Amino acid sequence: MATQYAIAGGTAREIAASAEQAVAEGRLRPGESLPPVRALAGTLGVSPGTVATAYKELRGRGIVVTRGRGGTVVAPAPVVTSRRPPRVPEGLRDLAGGHPDPAFLPDLVPPGRLSPGARSHRASPRLAELEELSRAWFERDGVPGGRVTFAHGALDCVSRLLSVELRPGDAVAVEDPGFHHLLDLVPALGLRTLAVPVDDEGMEPAGLRAALRAGARAVVLCPRAQNPYGSRMSAGRRAELLGVLAAAPDVLVVEDDHSADTAGGPLHSLATAGKDGPGRWAQVRTVSKHLGTDLRWTAMACDPVTLARHDGRLLLTSGWISHVLQETIVRLMSDPATTALVAGAAIAYEERRTALLAALAGHGIGAHGVSGFNVWAPVRDESAVVNGLRSRGWWVAGGARFRIGSAPGVRITTADLEPADGVRLAADFAAVLAESAQTYGG
């Protein structure tokens, strides 16, 4: 089917809706060109201005992008399709999911006494006991815990923050490579993405400086266990980034410390700088990586303006986080056995990650992962490596869905990868790279 026949309509809204539906249904694929404005206008019998307005709406919603003389094309990850990972083929060892080892997750037992009756909790949305536990959780790592609030999950929290702080067309600085759901979320909110390169120490200062000069009004980053690269911000990098941010006091800085209890290594947070830190800041922490993936709860520490804006929007939408969920988390965070289990998980994740890195290095393969339980391995051809490892029984994540402009790579989740298995994987990885080198001629 010719591209123009995938789009119909007589008004800008109808044309935009038709194109969006074609993308959602796969009739228009990422990277595929849309017809030139005048060509589609002639086909549909409308004015070029009508088509131009429709394309502008599609661009604003992150469905298409304009590439100068390359015309208008479907975005690499259009927001109506998301960067969902492919289904794991049957019989393969799944190292692509980014999930914790179930053996280190506690049993989820809901509270014996459920909240009575049908009543609103808007007047007291946070359980006092969990609020105090959250303050202590942040302050343990030097993050100011004077103002805390809750959300339904890290992305829910970040989405709300960006929605109340920014307007469509504003820019957000994000890590590249970075968390694929965040890379989808930003354009879905009608915002522009400014990619900032990362290395083993986190966001690169020069890239952040360039993003701020390009108009970034918010920065979202991971201080440790960065996904997918495995960065951990060093004390020196923290000082460099604070120096860059000093020239942009009104920019909101959001830290996603999603694996605070199992990341491995100390936290060097921008938020710990006190009066020398960002004026507008928030640190977000979740429990899904160490207490259970079904526990959709997030704690956030932040400055007073950010707290008021976040909670004001929360009040108008969901209102509060389930008190049943909050009571369950209180029990887990207060349970000595759970604390010991989480501590064991942190040790195991460190051993498994470093064992794979060492095994890869033994074959001359450089990879990254100083924190968390993901390893990022740069490769020339992601598809060749993913398919080559698949033929050997392994399923790893191709890096395309984590990248904006950074070099290719694959992400390997090591949470349940025992060191002996890591040795086998590294050998297979080396064999696949050798086959790929022969294909490319060295």
Side-chain angles (χ1 to χ4, degrees):
M1 177 186 292
T3 300
Q4 57 262 42
Y5 296 126
I7 305 174
T11 67
R13 179 173 295 180
E14 291 172 350
I15 294 168
S18 175
E20 179 177 350
Q21 183 176 357
V23 173
E25 294 175 350
R27 291 182 285 116
L28 284 176
R29 300 182 180 278
E32 188 172 349
S33 296
L34 272 66
V37 169
R38 293 189 178 277
L40 183 57
T43 299
L44 300 180
V46 300
S47 72
T50 298
V51 176
T53 299
Y55 282 11
K56 180 179 180 181
E57 180 179 343
L58 291 169
R59 284 196 300 273
R61 298 188 53 229
I63 297 172
V64 303
V65 295
T66 299
R67 294 178 173 170
R69 293 184 178 180
T72 299
V73 303
V74 179
V79 297
V80 294
T81 58
S82 184
R83 306 184 193 209
R84 294 185 178 91
R87 186 182 300 275
V88 180
E90 187 175 351
L92 297 188
R93 178 73 180 275
D94 182 11
L95 303 177
H99 302 305
D101 184 346
F104 288 108
L105 298 178
D107 293 331
L108 299 184
V109 181
R113 179 188 59 79
L114 301 181
S115 299
R119 60 189 179 87
S120 172
H121 294 303
R122 292 178 188 269
S124 54
R126 296 183 293 275
L127 293 183
E129 189 173 1
L130 185 55
E131 195 166 2
E132 288 306 310
L133 286 170
S134 299
R135 295 184 198 281
W137 193 22
F138 286 110
E139 291 171 353
R140 178 197 71 187
D141 294 316
V143 177
R147 299 176 182 87
V148 299
T149 190
F150 303 158
H152 296 283
L155 281 174
D156 171 70
C157 188
V158 172
S159 175
R160 192 172 295 109
L161 291 175
L162 296 180
S163 296
V164 298
E165 294 286 342
L166 279 63
R167 296 293 177 267
D170 287 344
V172 182
V174 299
E175 297 164 322
D176 182 22
F179 185 37
H180 56 294
H181 291 307
L182 176 66
L183 301 186
D184 290 341
L185 173 64
V186 172
L189 295 174
L191 305 172
R192 292 186 294 118
T193 299
L194 297 176
V196 179
V198 299
D199 59 21
D200 289 334
E201 297 180 77
M203 263 193 175
E204 296 184 358
L208 177 58
R209 184 178 292 108
L212 294 176
R213 288 175 177 170
R217 293 194 55 205
V219 180
V220 184
L221 56 85
C222 293
R224 52 186 172 179
Q226 194 269 355
N227 184 7
Y229 204 84
S231 307
R232 181 176 68 238
M233 193 185 302
S234 66
R237 179 59 54 81
R238 172 180 171 272
E240 291 179 288
L241 294 180
L242 286 172
V244 173
L245 290 166
D250 296 328
V251 169
L252 175 64
V253 179
V254 181
E255 289 186 336
D256 179 8
D257 194 18
H258 59 277
S259 293
D261 286 42
T262 56
L267 172 69
H268 297 290
S269 167
L270 299 173
T272 61
K275 64 179 182 179
D276 296 323
R280 299 296 314 287
W281 66 275
Q283 188 180 102
V284 177
R285 291 190 173 187
T286 62
V287 297
S288 59
K289 296 299 185 185
H290 68 279
L291 295 184
T293 53
D294 278 334
L295 296 176
R296 309 307 297 169
W297 173 82
T298 289
M300 178 179 74
C302 57
D303 68 86
V305 174
T306 300
L307 178 71
R309 292 179 177 178
H310 173 276
D311 282 8
R313 179 63 62 87
L314 180 68
L315 182 67
L316 294 173
T317 53
S318 57
W320 68 88
I321 312 304
S322 163
H323 280 202
V324 174
L325 174 60
Q326 291 189 47
E327 290 178 18
T328 300
I329 294 170
V330 165
R331 292 178 62 177
L332 290 171
M333 292 182 73
S334 305
D335 177 37
T338 298
T339 300
L341 185 65
V342 172
I347 294 172
Y349 294 158
E350 177 82 13
E351 291 176 346
R352 294 169 184 179
R353 186 188 72 252
T354 56
L356 177 61
L357 289 170
L360 290 171
H363 291 277
I365 301 171
H368 305 273
V370 297
S371 181
F373 51 60
N374 289 310
V375 164
W376 178 262
V379 297
R380 178 184 294 184
D381 186 331
E382 293 177 359
S383 296
V385 171
V386 170
N387 290 326
L389 289 175
R390 174 179 179 173
S391 69
R392 289 166 169 79
W394 308 99
W395 186 245
V396 301
R401 71 180 191 269
F402 303 98
R403 300 187 291 108
I404 300 175
S406 56
V410 296
R411 189 192 73 175
I412 306 170
T413 299
T414 61
D416 63 351
L417 185 69
E418 296 288 351
D421 292 333
V423 170
R424 291 195 301 107
L425 172 61
D428 287 341
F429 202 114
V432 169
L433 290 183
E435 294 173 358
S436 179
Q438 292 173 6
T439 300
Y440 283 100

